Amino acid sequence: MLRSTIMEDESELFFFTLFFCCLFIAITTAGLIGNTLLLLTTIRSRSLRSPCNILIGSCALFDVLHQSALYVPAYGIISQVTMRSITCSMIMVKHIS
């Protein structure tokens, strides 16, 4: 009886993780598409080349770069790849510096 309860909990945890990971990927993809369209519109339209719009376009560019990196942890969560804590710490320190 106890073993079947543990299996059910693991199954529920897997579907819970999968649901939120898919939601995370969908939101990231929507942001990536929106920022890419904003960036392309700023580049292609001459009337949108004021300093303020160029600043907005550069923010969209760096958002695209940031959002494209968010697929890596999502892949790790779905494939259940784990990393050691020292590796995680090194990535965080490199990201900050």
Side-chain angles (χ1 to χ4, degrees):
M1 183 70 181
L2 181 63
R3 183 162 176 83
S4 65
T5 306
I6 292 172
M7 294 297 281
E8 290 172 4
D9 290 342
E10 288 178 6
S11 176
E12 289 175 6
L13 180 64
F14 174 74
F15 287 116
F16 180 77
T17 304
L18 187 63
F19 170 75
F20 279 107
C21 205
C22 290
L23 183 67
F24 179 73
I25 290 172
I27 292 171
T28 302
T29 303
L32 194 66
I33 291 170
N35 282 316
T36 303
L37 290 174
L38 178 68
L39 184 62
L40 290 175
T41 303
T42 304
I43 291 171
R44 295 188 65 163
S45 177
R46 289 202 184 272
S47 64
L48 293 177
R49 291 192 185 162
S50 69
C52 182
N53 289 331
I54 290 175
L55 178 65
I56 293 170
S58 66
C59 285
L61 171 67
F62 288 107
D63 267 353
V64 164
L65 293 175
H66 180 259
Q67 288 171 341
S68 63
L70 294 177
Y71 289 108
V72 175
Y75 171 75
I77 291 169
I78 289 175
S79 63
Q80 298 177 349
V81 173
T82 58
M83 70 173 74
R84 298 183 317 197
S85 103
I86 188 70
T87 307
C88 183
S89 299
M90 290 173 64
I91 290 171
M92 294 302 287
V93 169
K94 184 170 177 138
H95 181 70
I96 293 171
S97 59

